[in-house]
Amino acid sequence: MKQLNVGILGLGTVGGGTYTVLKRNAEEMARRTGVNIKVTHVADKNIERANALTQGEVNVTDDAFALVENPEVDVVVELIGGYGVAKDLVLKAIANKKHVVTANKALIALHGNEIFSAAQKMGVMVAYEAAVAGGIPIIKALREGLGANRIEWIAGIINGTTNFILTEMREKGLAYQDVIGEAQRLGYAEADPTFDVEGIDAAHKLVIMSAIAFGMPLKFDEVYTEGITQLAQADIQYAKELGYIVKLLGITKLTDKGVELRVHPTLIPEKRLVANVDGAMNAVVVQGDAVGPTLYYGAGAGAEPTASAVIADLIDVARLKDATITQRAPALGYQADQVQDLTVLPIAEINSAYYLRMYATDKPGVIASVTKILADRGISIDAVIQKEQPSDTTETDMVVLTNKTVEKNMNAAITEIEALAAVTGNVIKLRMETLG
Amino acid sequence: MKQLNVGILGLGTVGGGTYTVLKRNAEEMARRTGVNIKVTHVADKNIERANALTQGEVNVTDDAFALVENPEVDVVVELIGGYGVAKDLVLKAIANKKHVVTANKALIALHGNEIFSAAQKMGVMVAYEAAVAGGIPIIKALREGLGANRIEWIAGIINGTTNFILTEMREKGLAYQDVIGEAQRLGYAEADPTFDVEGIDAAHKLVIMSAIAFGMPLKFDEVYTEGITQLAQADIQYAKELGYIVKLLGITKLTDKGVELRVHPTLIPEKRLVANVDGAMNAVVVQGDAVGPTLYYGAGAGAEPTASAVIADLIDVARLKDATITQRAPALGYQADQVQDLTVLPIAEINSAYYLRMYATDKPGVIASVTKILADRGISIDAVIQKEQPSDTTETDMVVLTNKTVEKNMNAAITEIEALAAVTGNVIKLRMETLG
């Protein structure tokens, strides 16, 4: 039987999972592919950990650069993370005509254009199924399974940490500050959770899906990103009363004016399947012009779910390493010379429905004034809640759901609303998607 | 640009959708594949309909056998359905060294072993993404995206007609007989709905997924099939009270004793995502040993959703038609010589939890007797509902949820329960899956 020699860079959580699953299911995979996919080399700074796991069955080194130069290695699996040394190693592996599999979303999101271009020149594959939504085979679905479609939009819960936190906030009525500690204790959030809770990790994944869906270069710098740290419990509860659930969504849409590319807390109707994706799970909704809406759900992180995606890529490499470039699915889903620069819309230019909350004197006049401000800008209202005022004050929360408008129009309306004498403080604005 | 000449057999709903989508998205697909995927030939008995759609741009014939012999055709798309002439045409196309794409689940389920063997000999591809769950790319997910996993089980809502009917029954409190007419009027059910409502269509799709998942031959004759025509409204409502939703599931599991392969109405906890898949939509849950549970959702039928899957296969053919056999994903997911005969368990040997409903005298003694019968067979009880008896009778419905046991053990217990003097008539038995 033919053998594919795999060199793994980084034997941490995902690297260890990949090693374990490849060993456990070796026979099954050989039956599928007709190839013996075998880890022959490992590079890790922690030699002891690597030796303990690989039990002398593999060449272990602490010199990652030696591994990517090693002529015995057919494919390099980069599981170090980040975009410092990982980038150098991936480019070096490509220069040495090695195929590359990586789970590194930051690397692909920021340096994918350069990496894919280098791979194209050398005729090698760079596969990255594990970089988006962990074990869910969403890259393959977008790039191959839905290849007949013009993709219209994608909306995904693509960060498990924030989905866990939002689920806890909704179910237990707790504030963000009260949940983040629990998430850290349970291992769902890191000691410094910034990347996750500020939406940066989701932005990495979103920009990758956007590029594949629309055949455009990766434009990480142009993703609008808003996290969940400022999200108030009150808004989660009011949304619930109105039949909506708040999720951190990565959303990308192809419009006549350009591409929307944004990560932010979003109200979704509770009847939508994706609204019911709870805890640390991920799900991606893809709308194609022929297929309509489809949804892909699974674990977005974890050792073995991520390994599942890494190994799916290895199976593709095992099959197609000696194939011609046109026999492989192209790196970004489109032939390299067919990737087109598309304009990414600034957030002020996107189109959305909105949830607004304001703190106002409980007078009939307030609703009339707010309605007029919105109507003058062509924004119609879908629903209003005005809470009974507490006994010790004449002010109360007023919540308005609007129809769709351009965001800058909504922002101008909000400025006018905030100038009303009866309204105290800032208007809270959340975006809303029907995903219908 | 290279061109792939496509010949379509049958220009009905799916054929028309395929033609339309291929034409509408031709440029997009060429950008993806670098190949011009073009319908050059069409065979349909209704020449007028075919000419009206293709507007003189395509060679139209009413002789399907001439099309599959035509040297200009690279790939034959079989969209006739059934397994009479469709089988002959597919085998003839293969004999002529043409690749084949089909949406025909009955054909693959019943004759796939013979067809794949012929294709293997001739070195051509036979692709059938559209045969299971319409536009959802589930075949690609099972065969490639989850290739790292040992698949443990699959459970799917894979028939839109029955899911529509069950959704209506639950939401509107109507009986099967009252909904089937509406389903027919809306085009969700055919004039003779037998194939759908008796679970046969779901069995076709299930046996295909089972073969790919476990690397076994297609064994349609061994699928246990139970439809929804006997399902009572009362059971849907009792299930709801207990926190369950009744769905027609296709279930296949690999166990130590053999493969479970069964289609039947099933109680699922309402919290599961798949329990919330309503109307005519499809969803498949796949449990892999590495990835855990994943779910795939979308339209399971309809012209363009099905066309989406047909064309995804054409894109694979465009890429891989000149590739070697090992460079392609094998027809049944495993190398041809690695498909293993596995025993399919008779329904009496499967393992399940159960919902039982009996009509009994409302005496404390009945619960004690039933509990004892079950306990003597090692079956524990999870929940009991005993309804208040109507004023005009001393009898009432009693519902019991049990833990898992082998079905023959449950059947024996039911025989004993039915022999109790306090129990009238037969015990209604439904299977229950936690899908956890």
Side-chain angles (χ1 to χ4, degrees):
Chain A
M1 192 181 291
K2 276 195 262 184
Q3 181 166 312
L4 183 76
N5 289 346
V6 178
I8 298 181
L9 303 176
L11 217 57
T13 304
V14 176
T18 301
Y19 184 82
T20 304
V21 174
L22 268 175
K23 206 173 156 182
R24 184 174 75 222
N25 293 349
E27 191 194 322
E28 195 81 358
M29 276 177 264
R31 286 180 58 208
R32 287 209 173 97
T33 59
V35 179
N36 182 20
I37 301 173
K38 194 169 161 53
V39 179
T40 53
H41 296 74
V42 160
D44 197 295
K45 284 198 175 156
N46 189 336
I47 291 271
E48 275 176 34
R49 177 177 71 175
N51 280 329
L53 184 65
T54 58
Q55 298 281 334
E57 293 178 0
V58 172
N59 295 292
V60 175
T61 174
D62 61 358
D63 183 353
F65 283 92
L67 188 151
V68 301
E69 305 266 3
N70 193 317
E72 288 170 16
V73 172
D74 299 315
V75 51
V76 170
V77 179
E78 184 277 303
L79 300 172
I80 294 172
Y83 32 79
V85 70
K87 184 187 170 194
D88 295 339
L89 287 165
V90 163
L91 288 173
K92 190 77 80 178
I94 291 168
N96 286 322
K97 277 216 151 214
K98 294 188 193 310
H99 305 284
V100 171
V101 172
T102 178
N104 191 333
K105 47 224 159 204
L107 178 65
I108 298 296
L110 273 79
H111 302 289
N113 298 323
E114 180 183 352
I115 289 167
F116 296 138
S117 163
Q120 173 83 6
K121 271 187 210 121
M122 297 303 290
V124 297
M125 299 169 74
V126 175
Y128 53 93
E129 180 66 78
V132 180
I136 307 171
I138 185 68
I139 300 295
K140 193 173 273 282
L142 284 171
R143 212 161 56 167
E144 302 177 36
L146 302 178
N149 293 267
R150 264 184 283 194
I151 304 297
E152 295 171 349
W153 52 260
I154 299 173
I157 296 173
I158 45 181
N159 180 272
T161 305
T162 46
N163 203 46
F164 173 82
I165 293 170
L166 291 178
T167 304
E168 292 289 294
M169 286 175 73
R170 190 182 76 248
E171 289 184 353
K172 300 186 180 163
L174 296 170
Y176 169 80
Q177 287 74 13
D178 299 326
V179 178
I180 182 69
E182 185 201 358
Q184 285 166 325
R185 273 192 304 280
L186 293 171
Y188 289 125
E190 298 190 37
D192 175 0
T194 309
F195 255 50
D196 292 315
V197 298
E198 295 298 356
I200 302 161
D201 174 75
H204 286 151
K205 296 163 183 168
L206 180 67
V207 80
I208 296 172
M209 292 197 287
S210 181
I212 304 171
F214 306 133
M216 61 189 275
L218 295 145
K219 294 192 168 188
F220 175 71
D221 292 346
E222 299 186 40
V223 186
Y224 172 80
T225 305
E226 187 183 315
I228 61 164
T229 56
Q230 303 306 311
L231 188 66
Q233 176 59 225
D235 296 311
I236 293 176
Q237 294 307 326
Y238 289 142
K240 207 169 166 183
E241 278 181 44
L242 290 158
Y244 292 83
I245 289 177
V246 182
K247 293 289 184 189
L248 184 72
L249 288 190
I251 298 170
T252 185
K253 292 187 190 186
L254 185 59
T255 78
D256 293 343
K257 293 191 292 176
V259 175
E260 297 187 3
L261 203 48
R262 46 194 172 98
V263 173
H264 51 69
T266 313
L267 275 72
I268 324 172
E270 64 190 356
K271 284 204 157 188
R272 296 277 175 247
L273 209 57
V274 68
N276 295 289
V277 171
D278 284 337
M281 299 302 277
N282 280 201
V284 179
V285 184
V286 182
Q287 172 81 20
D289 70 335
V291 76
T294 57
L295 177 146
Y296 309 83
Y297 162 92
E304 294 210 355
T306 310
S308 172
V310 167
I311 299 169
D313 280 345
L314 285 173
I315 291 174
D316 274 359
V317 171
R319 286 207 180 107
L320 296 168
K321 72 187 175 71
D322 300 320
T324 64
I325 283 185
T326 53
Q327 286 172 337
R328 301 171 186 156
L332 281 178
Y334 288 71
Q335 299 294 309
D337 59 0
Q338 292 297 321
V339 173
Q340 291 176 350
D341 203 5
L342 297 174
T343 305
V344 175
L345 294 173
I347 190 70
E349 300 295 335
I350 68 127
N351 216 283
S352 180
Y354 295 89
Y355 161 105
L356 306 178
R357 172 167 59 94
M358 57 207 77
Y359 194 58
T361 310
D362 182 19
K363 278 197 272 186
V366 178
I367 292 184
S369 306
V370 168
T371 306
K372 183 172 187 316
I373 289 169
L374 293 171
D376 285 351
R377 297 184 165 275
I379 305 166
S380 56
I381 292 178
D382 251 14
V384 175
I385 318 183
Q386 191 159 21
K387 305 308 285 185
E388 271 184 60
Q389 72 221 52
S391 55
D392 57 341
T393 167
T394 60
E395 292 182 314
T396 184
D397 275 341
M398 180 172 143
V399 171
V400 176
L401 301 189
T402 77
N403 279 339
K404 281 186 148 194
T405 187
V406 173
E407 178 134 335
K408 64 184 172 191
N409 192 35
M410 178 53 75
N411 291 343
I414 287 172
T415 304
E416 287 182 51
I417 292 170
E418 287 172 345
L420 292 172
V423 171
T424 305
N426 291 331
V427 173
I428 304 293
K429 173 187 78 182
L430 292 172
R431 298 174 192 89
M432 210 163 79
E433 293 283 335
T434 58
L435 305 179
Chain B
M1 193 181 293
K2 275 195 262 184
Q3 181 166 313
L4 183 75
N5 290 348
V6 178
I8 299 182
L9 303 177
L11 217 57
T13 305
V14 177
T18 300
Y19 184 83
T20 304
V21 174
L22 268 174
K23 205 173 156 180
R24 185 174 74 222
N25 293 348
E27 190 194 323
E28 195 81 359
M29 276 178 262
R31 286 180 57 209
R32 288 210 172 97
T33 59
V35 178
N36 182 19
I37 301 173
K38 195 169 162 50
V39 179
T40 53
H41 296 73
V42 159
D44 198 295
K45 285 197 177 158
N46 189 337
I47 290 270
E48 276 176 32
R49 177 176 71 176
N51 280 329
L53 185 65
T54 58
Q55 299 280 332
E57 294 178 359
V58 172
N59 296 291
V60 174
T61 174
D62 61 358
D63 182 353
F65 283 92
L67 189 150
V68 303
E69 305 267 3
N70 192 318
E72 288 170 17
V73 172
D74 299 317
V75 52
V76 170
V77 178
E78 185 278 302
L79 300 173
I80 295 172
Y83 31 80
V85 68
K87 185 187 169 194
D88 295 339
L89 287 164
V90 163
L91 288 174
K92 189 77 80 177
I94 291 169
N96 286 321
K97 276 217 153 215
K98 294 188 193 311
H99 305 283
V100 172
V101 172
T102 178
N104 191 333
K105 47 225 161 205
L107 178 65
I108 298 297
L110 273 78
H111 302 289
N113 298 322
E114 180 184 351
I115 289 166
F116 296 139
S117 163
Q120 172 83 6
K121 269 186 211 123
M122 296 304 290
V124 296
M125 299 170 73
V126 175
Y128 54 94
E129 181 65 79
V132 181
I136 307 172
I138 186 66
I139 300 295
K140 193 172 272 283
L142 283 170
R143 211 161 57 167
E144 303 177 36
L146 302 178
N149 293 267
R150 263 184 283 195
I151 304 298
E152 295 170 349
W153 53 261
I154 298 173
I157 297 173
I158 45 181
N159 180 273
T161 305
T162 46
N163 203 47
F164 173 82
I165 293 170
L166 292 177
T167 303
E168 292 289 295
M169 286 175 73
R170 191 184 75 247
E171 290 183 352
K172 300 185 179 163
L174 296 170
Y176 169 80
Q177 287 75 10
D178 300 326
V179 177
I180 182 69
E182 185 200 359
Q184 285 166 325
R185 273 193 303 281
L186 293 170
Y188 289 127
E190 298 188 37
D192 175 359
T194 310
F195 254 51
D196 292 315
V197 299
E198 295 299 355
I200 301 162
D201 175 76
H204 287 150
K205 296 163 184 169
L206 180 68
V207 79
I208 296 173
M209 292 197 286
S210 182
I212 303 172
F214 306 134
M216 62 189 275
L218 295 146
K219 295 193 169 189
F220 175 70
D221 292 344
E222 300 186 40
V223 186
Y224 172 81
T225 305
E226 187 183 316
I228 62 164
T229 55
Q230 303 306 314
L231 189 66
Q233 176 59 225
D235 296 311
I236 293 177
Q237 295 307 325
Y238 290 142
K240 208 169 164 183
E241 277 182 44
L242 290 158
Y244 292 83
I245 289 177
V246 182
K247 293 289 184 189
L248 184 73
L249 289 189
I251 298 170
T252 183
K253 292 187 189 184
L254 185 60
T255 78
D256 293 343
K257 293 190 291 174
V259 174
E260 298 187 2
L261 201 49
R262 47 193 171 101
V263 174
H264 51 69
T266 314
L267 275 73
I268 326 172
E270 64 190 358
K271 283 202 159 187
R272 295 279 174 245
L273 209 55
V274 69
N276 294 288
V277 171
D278 283 336
M281 300 301 277
N282 280 200
V284 179
V285 184
V286 183
Q287 173 80 21
D289 70 334
V291 76
T294 57
L295 176 145
Y296 308 83
Y297 162 92
E304 293 210 356
T306 310
S308 173
V310 167
I311 299 170
D313 280 344
L314 285 173
I315 291 174
D316 275 358
V317 171
R319 284 205 182 110
L320 295 168
K321 72 186 174 75
D322 300 319
T324 64
I325 283 186
T326 54
Q327 287 172 338
R328 300 172 186 155
L332 282 179
Y334 288 71
Q335 299 294 309
D337 60 359
Q338 292 297 320
V339 173
Q340 292 175 349
D341 203 3
L342 297 174
T343 305
V344 174
L345 293 173
I347 191 68
E349 299 294 336
I350 69 127
N351 215 283
S352 180
Y354 295 89
Y355 160 105
L356 306 178
R357 171 167 61 93
M358 58 208 75
Y359 195 57
T361 311
D362 182 19
K363 278 197 272 187
V366 178
I367 292 184
S369 306
V370 170
T371 307
K372 184 172 185 315
I373 289 170
L374 293 171
D376 285 349
R377 297 186 164 274
I379 305 167
S380 56
I381 291 178
D382 251 14
V384 176
I385 319 182
Q386 192 159 18
K387 307 306 286 184
E388 270 184 59
Q389 72 221 54
S391 55
D392 58 341
T393 168
T394 61
E395 292 183 313
T396 184
D397 274 343
M398 181 171 141
V399 172
V400 175
L401 301 187
T402 78
N403 280 339
K404 281 185 149 195
T405 188
V406 174
E407 179 134 333
K408 62 184 173 192
N409 192 35
M410 177 52 75
N411 291 343
I414 287 172
T415 304
E416 288 183 49
I417 292 170
E418 287 173 346
L420 291 173
V423 171
T424 305
N426 291 330
V427 173
I428 303 294
K429 174 186 79 182
L430 293 171
R431 299 174 192 88
M432 210 164 77
E433 292 284 335
T434 58
L435 305 179

